[in-house]
Amino acid sequence: MGALQRFESRLEEMISGVFARTFRSAVQPVEISAALNREIDNSAQILSRDRRLVPNDFHIELAPGDHDRLGQLGPQLTGELAEMLRQHAAQQSYVFTGPVNITLEPVEELTTGRFRVRSQSVSTVSQGTGQPPPTNTQVRRAAAFLEVNGQRLPLSPPGIVVGRSSDADLRIDDPGVSRRHMEVRVADGPDGPHITVLDMGSTNGILVNGKRVEQATVGDGTVVRIGNTTMTLRLQGVG
């Protein structure tokens, strides 16, 4: 029995045989599983000879009727889909950028039996070991901060080290990020903070507004990309 057949069998057992009647003419979970496999196959980026980076956040867009039917399975369905995807990734030597997350969403324009898979890479971001997360007050009072995956990290002199290592000031769990990837230097100036980003000898380098650099002065709205993670610099009171 193949992996997809075992997957369907587990789902059938999970809902006591109602599976076949409920989903006979609608989107089949095995179809979604196969589509998720294709999605990461088509999105894989080469990290090294033996490893390829793939997205970890998936949105399954379904017709409202299909969404309601699949919703009857609850979190067991997305859990099984995620496990199947992890198995496929292991077989292909794929590396996810963070924990696998699968969300089902209703879309009015889709008809019963049709669905779409949208994916993106979302890295896990945290403070370095022994550093408490910033409070809302600290963020509000900061003259500058980085926005990463919806989080805001205040910046103050002399700056921070960004990387995958636990001793980095800003730790990013992204296989494309080096252990000590980038330094963000912050200095006070007469017109506000002066901020520079520097490559610390990383494997994959730094992109500033889409251009690879070794070092660059950045300002409000500057977009910095390292590995598969994008961050935006914000200056308080600018714009």
Side-chain angles (χ1 to χ4, degrees):
M1 182 182 292
L4 288 179
Q5 286 76 22
R6 290 195 299 271
F7 168 63
E8 186 171 24
S9 294
R10 287 198 303 272
L11 287 175
E12 288 180 1
E13 294 172 2
M14 188 170 63
I15 57 174
S16 305
V18 180
F19 177 84
R21 295 193 300 275
T22 303
F23 295 105
R24 184 176 292 115
S25 62
V27 170
Q28 302 289 328
V30 290
E31 294 178 290
I32 297 177
S33 183
L36 287 167
N37 289 351
R38 289 194 300 271
E39 180 70 14
I40 61 173
D41 288 342
N42 295 334
S43 303
Q45 302 175 36
I46 296 175
L47 278 179
S48 66
R49 186 177 63 181
D50 302 319
R51 296 198 309 163
R52 285 180 286 177
L53 188 69
V54 293
N56 65 311
D57 189 70
F58 303 88
H59 294 261
I60 313 300
E61 297 182 347
L62 300 150
D66 285 326
H67 180 266
D68 291 343
R69 294 184 187 97
L70 289 168
Q72 296 174 25
L73 297 179
Q76 294 100 321
L77 173 61
T78 52
E80 290 282 355
L81 289 170
E83 179 58 27
M84 284 292 299
L85 195 59
R86 283 190 287 266
Q87 291 178 18
H88 178 69
Q91 293 169 358
Q92 302 300 321
S93 297
Y94 295 154
V95 179
F96 292 109
T97 55
V100 175
N101 180 60
I102 298 175
T103 304
L104 306 181
E105 299 178 353
V107 175
E108 293 291 339
E109 67 188 64
L110 292 175
T111 57
T112 299
R114 300 184 65 84
F115 68 96
R116 288 192 296 252
V117 177
R118 300 189 185 278
S119 65
Q120 62 179 341
S121 296
V122 178
S123 306
T124 302
V125 178
S126 62
Q127 298 289 101
T129 302
Q131 300 181 50
T135 65
N136 290 335
T137 300
Q138 288 174 320
V139 173
R140 287 197 303 269
R141 291 179 176 176
F145 58 84
L146 285 176
E147 288 183 342
V148 193
N149 292 350
Q151 299 183 39
R152 292 182 172 186
L153 178 73
L155 297 174
S156 59
I160 61 172
V161 171
V162 182
R164 192 160 42 86
S165 172
S166 60
D167 63 1
D169 301 303
L170 177 61
R171 182 175 182 273
I172 300 179
D173 187 14
D174 178 340
V177 172
S178 297
R179 291 180 60 80
R180 293 172 65 84
H181 196 114
M182 174 181 74
E183 182 181 4
V184 181
R185 292 182 179 173
V186 183
D188 289 328
D191 299 319
H194 180 82
I195 302 175
T196 306
V197 296
L198 301 91
D199 192 331
M200 300 181 72
S202 67
T203 300
N204 295 317
I206 301 173
L207 294 178
V208 173
N209 290 335
K211 182 179 179 180
R212 182 156 182 162
V213 301
E214 295 294 326
Q215 177 175 334
T217 299
V218 294
D220 184 60
T222 297
V223 177
V224 180
R225 185 179 179 87
I226 60 174
N228 212 54
T229 300
T230 299
M231 56 193 75
T232 305
L233 176 70
R234 297 295 183 191
L235 301 180
Q236 303 275 31
V238 175

